[in-house]
Amino acid sequence: MDLFSHAEFDGHEEVHFLHHRESGLRAIVALHDTTLGPAIGGCRMWPYASDAEALADVLRLSRGMTYKTAMAGLAFGGGKSVVIGDPRRDKSPALLRAFGRAVESLAGRYYTGEDVGTAPADMDIAGGVTRYVLGRSEGGSGDPSPMTARGVLLGIRVAVRHRLGRDRLQGITVAVQGLGHVGMSLAGLLAEEGARLVVADLDPARSEEAARRFGARVVDGTEILSVPCEVLAPCALGGVIDDHSLPRLRCAVIAGAANNQLAAPRHGDGLHERRILYAPDYVINAGGVINIAEELHPEGYRRERALDRLGVIGERLAEVFTRAARRDEPTHRVADAMAREILAAARRARAA
Ligand code: NAI
């Protein structure tokens, strides 16, 4: 398995392969770029089909965190860890402690937290052996999802203003795919602003809840991507914008929380050709990491301060949209270029 010539390798600073015989821990920690500060990024536990799949995931996710923190104006770099295994079967206190000891051995170059397959209670256990854990159940910043949803709402407002020239979401139709932690919270915020909701979730109980609480119209999972609407908000899986969905889209804006919404960069080019305004995922969904990073504030975590900081999401998106319009370029490419500029400027400042 190649590392330095791997397709997802992007000059990552450190990649650590962890194995702990007694607990069965098999994990990879990747620190992509620490120019702006220590790497930050959650710990994902997933039954990867192969080590190669886990490596590709951690390389890609840690790079995404570098871009996300740079665009969010945080003094953190990008990192991520993946634990290979089924969280329902293979997770144990011993495994979490072994993982925590490995994080501690990185001496503050990497801060971890919960992600898919891990929870705040797991961070409590890992946090028993390392200082470098955020998002504990006690004394932490709590569930990041409501903050992520608020950030997405700000992003939707900016996108609607830019693409449709409308200042309010009253009467705007938003199709929300996925009503989990973020999607349900977002649906509630949109309903408060008078948006019309169309929703889909694999779990019918969630769709029914949105219909009952917010008067949402329910469609099935295959239909949601082709519903006529002003805004499509993907809040479920990654890779939703692909060769199959692209020609069927009937929205003016795509702005949602899901990570890695574009199956490949060329699908972002396809959105641009169709005049669909895409809010780059790592810019609009940064509310969670903005929130958790506040835990390291010298005065301790304060929700009001985190809420204030969310404003950067709207500002950055407005900048991305304006630049993209001026140059007639796809927004995902403009956002990547902006993130790289931020990093290059920080490197120059450090070298001076
Ligand atoms: P979640 O697991 O709580 O919710 C996902 C929901 O999507 C579930 O209700 C699931 O049934 C539904 N779903 C899955 N596949 C679907 C499909 N094909 N069609 C319709 N519904 C489907 O996840 P959460 O925390 O709400 O996150 C949503 C997305 O946002 C994920 O991609 C996550 O990586 C991303 N994200 C979440 C953040 C957070 O603060 N929770 C922060 C940044 C990104």
Side-chain angles (χ1 to χ4, degrees):
M1 194 163 51
D2 288 330
L3 176 61
F4 297 118
S5 54
H6 194 287
E8 302 288 353
F9 182 77
D10 176 52
H12 289 70
E13 292 175 10
E14 302 181 33
V15 180
H16 299 270
F17 290 79
L18 315 174
H19 176 238
H20 183 246
R21 195 188 312 277
E22 286 75 22
S23 66
L25 173 74
R26 285 179 302 145
I28 314 176
V29 181
L31 276 56
H32 174 249
D33 189 302
T34 58
T35 306
L36 298 172
I40 193 169
C43 170
R44 177 166 295 194
M45 185 162 186
W46 192 256
Y48 291 101
S50 66
D51 299 351
E53 202 183 284
L55 178 65
D57 210 28
V58 78
L59 291 176
R60 195 169 39 83
L61 290 166
S62 57
R63 175 177 183 269
M65 287 306 296
T66 298
Y67 281 52
K68 190 181 293 204
T69 52
M71 288 297 268
L74 296 173
F76 286 96
K80 199 84 183 184
S81 40
V82 296
V83 175
I84 301 168
D86 183 338
R88 283 167 306 187
R89 228 185 33 217
D90 304 323
K91 197 157 59 182
S92 66
L95 178 143
L96 291 163
R97 278 194 296 271
F99 172 72
R101 282 193 298 275
V103 171
E104 180 66 19
S105 76
L106 297 174
R109 298 198 301 288
Y110 169 60
Y111 281 86
T112 196
E114 63 155 322
D115 197 76
V116 177
T118 60
D122 300 330
M123 294 306 120
D124 294 345
I125 297 171
V129 291
T130 177
R131 289 158 281 178
Y132 307 114
V133 157
L134 303 172
R136 298 168 202 240
S137 65
E138 293 281 322
S141 53
D143 178 6
S145 312
M147 288 297 203
T148 303
R150 283 200 173 273
V152 172
L153 178 75
L154 293 179
I156 290 177
R157 284 204 200 116
V158 171
V160 163
R161 194 177 308 135
H162 183 85
R163 176 69 176 74
L164 303 167
R166 305 248 309 248
D167 278 328
R168 301 179 57 213
L169 299 180
Q170 177 82 37
I172 295 270
T173 301
V174 184
V176 182
Q177 182 196 37
L179 296 161
H181 291 93
V182 182
M184 191 67 87
S185 189
L186 175 66
L189 295 170
L190 289 165
E192 277 172 25
E193 304 229 347
R196 284 196 217 125
L197 294 171
V198 186
V199 298
D201 196 290
L202 294 181
D203 178 354
R206 295 192 157 270
S207 303
E208 279 156 29
E209 183 183 335
R212 195 180 61 245
R213 288 174 58 196
F214 316 126
R217 179 162 78 86
V218 176
V219 299
D220 72 31
T222 51
E223 202 186 332
I224 191 83
L225 297 175
S226 54
V227 157
C229 59
E230 273 89 20
V231 181
L232 171 65
C235 296
L237 316 162
V240 280
I241 311 303
D242 59 12
D243 291 334
H244 180 69
S245 61
L246 194 58
R248 296 162 48 229
L249 295 168
R250 293 169 72 193
C251 55
V253 167
I254 296 184
N259 277 312
N260 303 314
Q261 291 171 34
L262 304 175
R266 67 186 161 81
H267 298 112
D269 301 336
L271 293 176
H272 179 66
E273 282 157 23
R274 286 173 173 72
R275 290 202 64 244
I276 296 173
L277 183 67
Y278 171 61
D281 45 16
Y282 62 80
V283 185
I284 194 170
N285 74 12
V289 71
I290 290 173
N291 188 52
I292 211 163
E294 278 295 321
E295 286 187 20
L296 292 174
H297 192 281
E299 289 163 20
Y301 175 76
R302 278 213 355 252
R303 188 178 149 83
E304 302 70 43
R305 207 173 37 227
L307 275 168
D308 271 358
R309 290 211 56 149
L310 289 184
V312 71
I313 294 176
E315 289 161 23
R316 277 287 146 77
L317 276 177
E319 230 176 303
V320 170
F321 295 155
T322 308
R323 271 205 209 190
R326 205 167 48 225
R327 300 178 185 173
D328 192 23
E329 280 176 10
T331 52
H332 67 300
R333 298 201 184 274
V334 169
D336 284 1
M338 278 170 64
R340 282 193 295 266
E341 277 168 29
I342 292 167
L343 292 166
R347 278 190 208 109
R348 279 197 302 276
R350 211 164 59 171

